[in-house]
Amino acid sequence: EAGVAQSPRYKIIEKRQSVAFWCNPISGHATLYWYQQILGQGPKLLIQFQNNGVVDDSQLPKDRFSAERLKGVDSTLKIQPAKLEDSAVYLCASSPTRDLSSGNTIYFGEGSWLTVV
Amino acid sequence: AQSVTQPDIHITVSEGASLELRCNYSYGATPYLFWYVQSPGQGLQLLLKYFSGDTLVQGIKGFEAEFKRSQSSFNLRKPSVHWSDAAEYFCAVVAGGSEKLVFGKGTKLTVNP
């Protein structure tokens, strides 16, 4: 079974530039997550999709971050304009359903490493 | 809101020694608990999870964890550490009925030969 795919793996941009990350979840997984992991910290949820709808984007900095999952499969996370503090690993993850209390597991991709200089 | 505390930022052990990584959670009811491992340059891999039943949970790579409600803890253990276990370990919690997985800040494990 193929895992969660992410690209690009690494990106270096200057502040105020834009960047986009792509994620393809495990086939059949309805729920897709984007997490931000700053060096030395645990991952923090940015946005959660259920199929093509947003379930939770309360921690997404909406003035500069946007995400979409138009057809309910793959997803794109965009940052524009980037700030120095956006340097982090952006982890995409998926799970079969949104109900984590029923024993479902969240599966993570390898991450997209962003450095803003 | 639920939270997770991993008191140890960095732990160093010798290869072959035993390991215990600490995790404490803050939540009133029974939480659902997870341990993930992140090797350098990699994503997160699930080691084990606790939802109900037996409080001693077996995971992959020889790891186990024990849920102790009285101590609000879910410590990760391994009897004999291998050099390949060097990585960062994250404890995470989902509150019952919640859809949000909340992570601790992680513990970095270094294994000396």
Side-chain angles (χ1 to χ4, degrees):
Chain A
E1 178 182 83
V4 177
Q6 291 188 243
S7 67
R9 289 294 316 278
Y10 305 94
K11 191 76 175 180
I12 301 174
I13 62 172
E14 295 182 349
K15 58 184 180 183
R16 292 187 289 275
Q17 286 187 326
S18 64
V19 63
F21 301 114
W22 174 83
C23 171
N24 192 29
I26 293 173
S27 177
H29 280 195
T31 308
L32 185 147
Y33 312 81
W34 283 102
Y35 282 81
Q36 180 192 55
Q37 185 181 12
I38 293 174
L39 185 65
Q41 299 183 18
K44 181 186 79 172
L45 179 67
L46 290 177
I47 189 167
Q48 176 185 347
F49 292 95
Q50 178 69 12
N51 296 311
N52 62 350
V54 175
V55 173
D56 183 351
D57 63 356
S58 58
Q59 297 197 83
L60 187 74
K62 298 180 185 63
D63 58 334
R64 297 182 300 104
F65 286 66
S66 64
E68 59 184 16
R69 193 185 184 199
L70 293 177
K71 297 183 179 179
V73 181
D74 57 347
S75 175
T76 302
L77 175 70
K78 295 180 181 178
I79 308 174
Q80 182 178 19
K83 291 185 176 182
L84 296 177
E85 59 261 37
D86 298 332
S87 295
V89 182
Y90 291 87
L91 295 163
C92 181
S94 69
S95 65
T97 74
R98 59 197 283 186
D99 182 9
L100 300 181
S101 63
S102 63
N104 281 316
T105 296
I106 296 181
Y107 297 89
F108 286 82
E110 293 189 325
S112 292
W113 300 67
L114 174 66
T115 300
V116 182
V117 297
Chain B
Q2 67 269 31
S3 65
V4 178
T5 302
Q6 294 181 248
D8 303 305
I9 297 174
H10 191 185
I11 284 183
T12 299
V13 299
S14 298
E15 191 168 17
S18 64
L19 172 69
E20 182 169 29
L21 301 181
R22 296 184 290 165
C23 172
N24 294 97
Y25 64 89
S26 172
Y27 181 63
T30 300
Y32 304 105
L33 297 156
F34 306 77
W35 275 101
Y36 282 86
V37 61
Q38 186 176 37
S39 298
Q42 302 297 313
L44 295 166
Q45 182 183 21
L46 180 69
L47 284 176
L48 48 80
K49 59 185 178 183
Y50 171 79
F51 279 79
S52 64
D54 193 349
T55 57
L56 185 61
V57 180
Q58 301 297 321
I60 62 171
K61 304 184 180 186
F63 285 92
E64 66 178 25
E66 186 171 12
F67 171 60
K68 292 186 177 180
R69 183 191 305 274
S70 61
Q71 298 177 19
S72 297
S73 68
F74 188 57
N75 294 348
L76 182 71
R77 300 193 295 247
K78 187 170 185 178
S80 178
V81 171
H82 188 262
W83 64 267
S84 60
D85 293 324
E88 191 148 19
Y89 292 80
F90 292 93
C91 183
V93 63
V94 174
S98 168
E99 300 176 359
K100 187 175 291 188
L101 186 64
V102 176
F103 286 87
K105 292 187 175 183
T107 297
K108 184 178 180 180
L109 174 66
T110 298
V111 180
N112 287 333

